[in-house]
Amino acid sequence: QATFHYRTLRCGDEETPVDDSRARGKPMELIAGKKFKLPVWEAALRTMRPGERARFRCDAKHVVLYPLVSKSLRNIAAGKDPLEGQRHCCSIAQMHEHYSLGYPDLDELQKNPQPLIFDIEVLKVEPPGSYQQDPWAMTDEEKLQAVPQIHKEGNELYRQGKVPEAAAKYYDAIACLKNLQMKEQPGSPDWIELDQKITPLLLNYCQCKLQCEEYYEVLDHCSSILNKYEDNVKAYFKRGKAHAAVWNVAEAQADFAKVLALDPSLRPVVSRELRSLEARLREKDAEDKIRFKGIFSQ
């Protein structure tokens, strides 16, 4: 696996930049032999060592797929699925003039292929077995096999109090399964089986987000779970906590009531959450009275 920074430039006097990994703050990782859509990069990297830099020009016929590659790399840098927007569509169809990649500069480059200059600096090279692949770089079989280990690593990080790091692990495991699920027919047995593996990981991710005080993300994810699994007690409980944190009092009370209806043994835990919510409400009322005291007499 080679880790490197890259710049892509248009040919011409000004050499207008198309992509710059340094500007995005995330270097590129390429695994040799993974059928990357830009073989000229792999060919160059095979001859380079850490610290070396190369600059080379490629004719348009050799970089006709670069707009698709660039879109994937931009998605990766943004933490998205690199294949977002490229589902159920062959490369030829994607090159059709009415197809948009979502970036005007890439759309223009797709319609009018032209020579490009690549500037690559290698940061490190790792032999097989010495690194953990990112989910986007794995085969379907590798994704499925990696999920239990990634889940385990997330649990261990959470136990160590490294909550953001644990959330990142759960996110990676979810991404592996989501990528596989997108290839199945929604509602099919295989799709449902994958969804049932995703749900506990998503709940773990929500627990991390609760502790990071990212409550609206918790609301979104828990609601998506409950839209499919109406009896998921953990989703109701976490969503109730998130509602309480953002002062959605009625919604929080409704979710906690649902928790009790589904699992009465959780009454002590729910009662503690409701008492905490009531105490916070009293504090807020007292603060509001002080803040607005005399405002209507002025």
Side-chain angles (χ1 to χ4, degrees):
Q1 173 174 287
T3 303
F4 58 96
H5 274 302
Y6 66 93
R7 291 181 72 216
T8 304
L9 309 165
R10 294 176 185 268
C11 290
D13 294 338
E14 296 183 0
E15 295 189 351
T16 307
V18 178
D19 288 306
D20 186 341
S21 63
R22 285 187 179 81
R24 297 195 181 100
K26 184 177 179 65
M28 171 67 180
E29 295 175 352
L30 191 151
I31 299 172
K34 282 292 184 178
K35 298 181 179 179
F36 189 58
K37 290 181 180 179
L38 206 62
V40 291
W41 278 15
E42 184 171 336
L45 288 163
R46 284 183 180 276
T47 67
M48 299 176 68
R49 296 181 179 182
E52 288 188 333
R53 189 167 182 170
R55 179 185 169 94
F56 52 95
R57 179 185 184 276
C58 288
D59 293 335
K61 65 181 180 180
H62 295 302
V63 291
V64 68
L65 290 179
Y66 183 78
L68 295 176
V69 173
S70 178
K71 178 184 170 80
S72 294
L73 297 181
R74 293 180 187 188
N75 283 346
I76 292 168
K80 300 178 181 178
D81 183 346
L83 297 181
E84 184 177 290
Q86 299 182 33
R87 303 293 178 189
H88 313 300
C89 195
C90 68
S91 295
I92 298 300
Q94 289 170 356
M95 299 298 286
H96 196 275
E97 64 178 0
H98 74 265
Y99 179 83
S100 174
L101 294 169
Y103 298 95
D105 61 329
L106 298 183
D107 288 342
E108 193 276 330
L109 191 59
Q110 179 172 261
K111 293 176 183 177
N112 301 294
Q114 58 185 268
L116 295 173
I117 296 171
F118 297 115
D119 190 329
I120 292 176
E121 181 181 1
V122 177
L123 302 178
K124 63 179 177 180
V125 178
E126 300 167 273
S130 64
Y131 57 87
Q132 181 173 304
Q133 297 182 42
D134 285 335
W136 62 267
M138 298 178 184
T139 65
D140 288 354
E141 184 178 354
E142 288 170 339
K143 289 184 179 77
L144 199 57
Q145 293 175 348
V147 167
Q149 180 60 32
I150 300 173
H151 191 171
K152 181 179 178 181
E153 291 171 1
N155 290 345
E156 182 59 31
L157 287 166
Y158 186 83
R159 281 193 290 269
Q160 295 173 7
K162 299 177 180 178
V163 178
E165 293 85 350
K169 287 292 182 181
Y170 295 137
Y171 181 92
D172 283 347
I174 292 166
C176 286
L177 295 173
K178 282 284 189 183
N179 184 271
L180 296 173
Q181 190 185 42
M182 291 178 72
K183 300 175 183 179
E184 304 294 341
Q185 180 68 29
S188 68
D190 288 340
W191 188 95
I192 292 172
E193 182 180 355
L194 288 166
D195 204 60
Q196 290 173 343
K197 292 179 179 179
I198 290 169
T199 299
L201 285 162
L202 192 53
L203 288 168
N204 286 357
Y205 180 77
C206 286
Q207 180 61 33
C208 293
K209 291 301 175 179
L210 274 174
Q211 292 188 226
C212 293
E213 300 182 356
E214 297 179 33
Y215 303 118
Y216 289 102
E217 190 168 356
V218 177
L219 293 176
D220 287 342
H221 289 311
C222 287
S223 294
S224 72
I225 292 172
L226 291 168
N227 285 336
K228 293 175 288 186
Y229 307 106
E230 296 180 354
D231 60 348
N232 193 298
V233 177
K234 290 183 178 179
Y236 277 115
F237 185 75
K238 295 181 194 303
R239 192 174 72 172
K241 286 175 68 71
H243 274 311
V246 296
W247 302 106
N248 296 336
V249 177
E251 291 85 350
Q253 292 171 337
D255 278 347
F256 288 137
K258 192 68 176 179
V259 170
L260 290 178
L262 291 169
D263 190 348
S265 69
L266 292 174
R267 184 171 296 279
V269 178
V270 170
S271 296
R272 184 166 62 247
E273 293 295 331
L274 289 171
R275 287 196 300 270
S276 175
L277 176 57
E278 291 169 0
R280 289 174 58 232
L281 285 171
R282 288 194 295 270
E283 291 176 5
K284 186 175 183 297
D285 287 343
E287 291 173 359
D288 288 346
K289 287 178 181 179
I290 294 172
R291 184 179 298 112
F292 300 115
K293 184 179 180 180
I295 191 173
F296 298 109
S297 61
Q298 294 180 357

